Amino acid sequence: MTLTRHTLLREDMLMRRNPWSLSPLAGLMAGVGGAALMASAPVAAAETACKGDQGGLSLPPGFCASVFADGIGHARQMVAAPDGTLYVNTWSGRYYKNDTPPPGGFLVALKDTNGDGKADVVERFGETQAEGGAGGTGIGLYDGAVYAEINDRIMRYPLKAGEVVPKEAGKGQGEVVVSGLPLTGDHPMHPFAITPKGEMLVDLGSATNACEVKNRVPGSVGNEPCTEKETRGGIWRYDAKGRDQAFSPAARYVSGIRNGEGIALDAEGRVYSTQHGRDQLHEDWPKLYTQQQGFDLPSEEVVELKQGADYGWPECYFDPTRTKLVLAPEYGGDGGKKVGVCSGRQGPVAWFPAHWAPNDMKFYVGPGTEAKGAFPKAYRNGAFIAFHGSWNRAPGPQGGYVVMFQPMKDGKAAGKATSFADGFAGPVKEPGRATYRPTGLAVAPDGALYISDDVKGRIWRVTYAGADADAPVAAAPAPKVGSTASRGEGPPEGMHPDAGRAVAATLPVPKGATRQQVALGERVFHGEVGGATCGGCHGSDAKGSPIGADLTTGHWLWSDGSLAGLE
């Protein structure tokens, strides 16, 4: 089937009207599109009360944003200290095309000493690239020390009173808490959270999509048993007070979590994790799933962590239309009807649209509303979730690239999730073309919410400038710069596969090939033939993303680019 621009625009409109038609509660309204229904007066009043351009963000009435820091590297997760210092972990390496990070350590300490909403203290510490470091994602504070992931380790950096960065411990190199964490495969990051008891809960994301015999190959069945779960696809527990601990399968705390990047505690001490749902149901099993089902399945999740529990991966995925875990096709599933072993697995407490990539989560357990800048009461004890953005919705409209707010009560979702901060992506929602991608979150002692971006290294500080502590939760207005679908060119009236397209005509024709073959290849690249989603990873402009190489440079990563080489 050829997707015309008219079809994509219609799907985008439907998505904006109700992107939550597949979410946890029947009454869950559109957090993105529903914002457009707000009266213009409160929005205008909120914008007037804020200084500057909000750093390009769209926020609910009464909220203001400022750019706290910029260009600090590929900023991942963050943590705020009691004195207001914000600590950020930055990442490098193959995920970011091995580009050159800023000089100095990968850890960044930021502090605003003059109250203008911007960091005037910027200090780097920890291992540098020259010393073999590549940074990481996870970061935390415990017992007067900064804890941070770097390479295959989690390090501890003790701080003395009054220090912003550690001045001793081998010039800030720190102490090894645990080492030997796996770095191979699809999810080499190690986010973590530390409980008040000193339990360090570390995510070890899966090395594969669904533990297939051949990873991401159409029709490949799953390994039985999935021995990968012994060392990946779950949460591991270590002692935050310990030293020189070694990674071991024996430290596994829970299993069946494909990629749990956002681990957070609520006000009652319950521990939760986000979960990235698996990819490529339609691409790998086209006889069982339509292209639209590939866009919409499976849900992204929030689960409550309970020791010994199994949350389903890889044998199961969460189907929002059936509101339960169902059997994956790699393990005998039939497209969503069979449940099998999934009846004994632990389901989510909240779920969200597919492929949005929840990269961090923080509960708003900040100060009381009497603190200047603190959020209204309605936000207390709810969860903010940073959705990094999709790739596996191509050639349909991509989704995510937004920070959502999910109200919670008694450990469960308590009402509609709403778009809290939007506008990150800019005009194109694609991994390789988005202007910014929300990645990390932190709640400061003064009640401010920090949001990090791992494209350009920007950090926003969001505060509440409204006067109503009892204001209800509201959605952010639609961004002033509307985002497009991942594939939008072509005239509405065009029905021929190449109608209105000039790209194929400008591409070179390899020796032995024809212009018609090049045109067909371009359609395959964009998922219009064969169900491929090449453009999802490599971008519709083929210039690459963190999950797909740049195909326009003429540099072959392997083989000579011939058909035989690709095969």
Side-chain angles (χ1 to χ4, degrees):
M1 179 184 72
T2 298
L3 287 179
T4 64
R5 182 170 179 267
H6 173 75
T7 304
L8 289 172
L9 288 175
R10 182 187 65 189
E11 288 182 3
D12 195 40
M13 289 173 66
L14 288 172
M15 191 175 179
R16 286 180 176 274
R17 287 174 188 164
N18 189 10
W20 303 104
S21 59
L22 302 179
S23 62
L25 302 172
L28 207 56
M29 64 171 276
V32 179
L37 301 178
M38 290 182 180
S40 59
V43 176
E47 290 177 348
T48 302
C50 300
K51 298 179 181 178
D53 64 351
Q54 304 273 64
L57 298 187
S58 173
L59 298 164
F63 288 89
C64 298
S66 62
V67 177
F68 189 68
D70 223 344
I72 66 168
H74 300 295
R76 297 290 285 183
Q77 295 185 350
M78 306 176 288
V79 64
D83 69 351
T85 304
L86 185 71
Y87 293 97
V88 188
N89 203 351
T90 66
W91 200 14
S92 184
R94 63 183 174 91
Y95 191 82
Y96 298 100
K97 304 180 184 179
N98 293 304
D99 61 358
T100 303
F106 283 94
L107 297 171
V108 188
L110 304 168
K111 193 169 185 178
D112 173 14
T113 62
N114 57 18
D116 66 352
K118 297 180 181 179
D120 52 273
V121 174
V122 181
E123 295 195 41
R124 308 185 76 92
F125 65 102
E127 198 170 326
T128 67
Q129 185 184 42
E131 295 166 328
T137 292
I139 191 166
L141 284 169
Y142 182 73
D143 197 23
V146 177
Y147 287 68
E149 166 202 1
I150 185 163
N151 298 4
D152 69 334
R153 289 162 278 131
I154 294 177
M155 307 291 293
R156 176 173 49 237
Y157 304 88
L159 293 167
K160 292 184 177 180
E163 282 187 338
V164 174
V165 299
K167 301 300 183 184
E168 297 182 3
K171 297 182 180 179
Q173 298 311 303
E175 307 159 352
V176 176
V177 180
V178 60
S179 63
L181 302 174
L183 289 170
T184 58
D186 291 357
H187 304 115
M189 61 289 286
H190 312 106
F192 62 88
I194 303 175
T195 72
K197 296 180 180 179
E199 298 173 306
M200 187 169 66
L201 301 175
V202 185
D203 168 58
L204 298 181
S206 70
T208 61
N209 179 35
C211 202
E212 310 99 308
V213 174
K214 295 183 178 180
N215 188 33
R216 299 183 184 273
V217 172
S220 182
V221 298
N223 285 292
E224 293 195 61
C226 177
T227 56
E228 182 183 333
K229 290 176 72 172
E230 296 173 5
T231 58
R232 305 293 287 269
I235 306 291
W236 266 245
R237 181 174 61 182
Y238 294 94
D239 181 4
K241 299 177 182 178
R243 190 165 181 173
D244 295 323
Q245 299 166 89
F247 168 72
S248 167
R252 187 174 64 183
Y253 185 68
V254 302
S255 62
I257 296 180
R258 180 174 173 270
N259 187 27
E261 292 205 39
I263 307 173
L265 282 72
D266 71 3
E268 284 73 41
R270 289 178 286 244
V271 187
Y272 298 83
S273 174
T274 60
Q275 163 147 235
H276 288 221
R278 53 87 48 84
D279 305 320
Q280 297 172 296
L281 283 170
H282 167 68
E283 292 83 4
D284 290 353
W285 304 93
K287 293 182 179 179
L288 295 177
Y289 301 91
T290 66
Q291 189 175 61
Q292 188 62 49
Q293 286 176 309
F295 299 163
D296 297 335
L297 296 174
S299 293
E300 308 288 44
E301 304 174 46
V302 171
V303 299
E304 183 181 356
L305 299 183
K306 298 180 180 180
Q307 186 175 1
D310 187 317
Y311 296 87
W313 182 88
E315 300 90 349
C316 314
Y317 67 86
F318 191 82
D319 186 326
T321 62
R322 293 177 169 86
T323 64
K324 62 182 179 183
L325 292 168
V326 298
L327 204 59
E330 291 82 2
Y331 291 89
D334 56 359
K337 299 182 183 65
K338 288 184 181 179
V339 174
V341 297
C342 306
S343 62
R345 305 294 170 87
Q346 187 75 34
V349 299
W351 55 93
F352 304 87
H355 314 303
W356 278 26
N359 267 24
D360 202 4
M361 174 173 62
K362 290 293 187 297
F363 284 83
Y364 194 81
V365 291
T369 53
E370 69 279 359
K372 184 180 179 180
F375 291 11
K377 298 174 184 176
Y379 290 89
R380 290 190 63 80
N381 302 322
F384 288 97
I385 304 172
F387 288 96
H388 199 219
S390 69
W391 66 269
N392 194 216
R393 300 181 75 99
Q398 300 288 6
Y401 305 88
V402 66
V403 174
M404 303 296 297
F405 176 73
Q406 174 62 64
M408 301 286 288
K409 185 177 182 181
D410 299 326
K412 307 289 183 184
K416 59 195 177 186
T418 55
S419 169
F420 177 78
D422 202 351
F424 298 94
V428 183
K429 286 186 176 181
E430 284 185 8
R433 299 176 68 187
T435 305
Y436 303 103
R437 302 182 72 185
T439 303
L441 301 166
V443 178
D446 63 359
L449 177 72
Y450 290 94
I451 305 169
S452 67
D453 148 69
D454 70 342
V455 177
K456 298 181 179 180
R458 173 170 286 192
I459 294 175
W460 293 264
R461 181 176 184 266
V462 181
T463 58
Y464 182 64
D468 187 3
D470 296 313
V473 170
K480 293 179 180 179
V481 178
S483 296
T484 67
S486 57
R487 184 66 173 157
E489 59 261 40
E493 67 276 7
M495 295 302 293
H496 186 273
D498 298 316
R501 182 177 298 165
V503 177
T506 64
L507 292 173
V509 179
K511 184 178 180 180
T514 66
R515 175 65 60 193
Q516 289 73 25
Q517 288 174 322
V518 172
L520 175 61
E522 206 245 348
R523 288 162 52 204
V524 170
F525 180 86
H526 291 291
E528 297 174 359
V529 174
T533 54
C534 314
C537 286
H538 299 285
S540 63
D541 59 357
K543 292 185 178 179
S545 77
I547 53 177
D550 186 338
L551 303 180
T552 67
T553 63
H555 172 67
W556 301 109
L557 300 182
W558 42 265
S559 94
D560 59 357
S562 65
L563 179 60
L566 292 173
E567 289 175 340

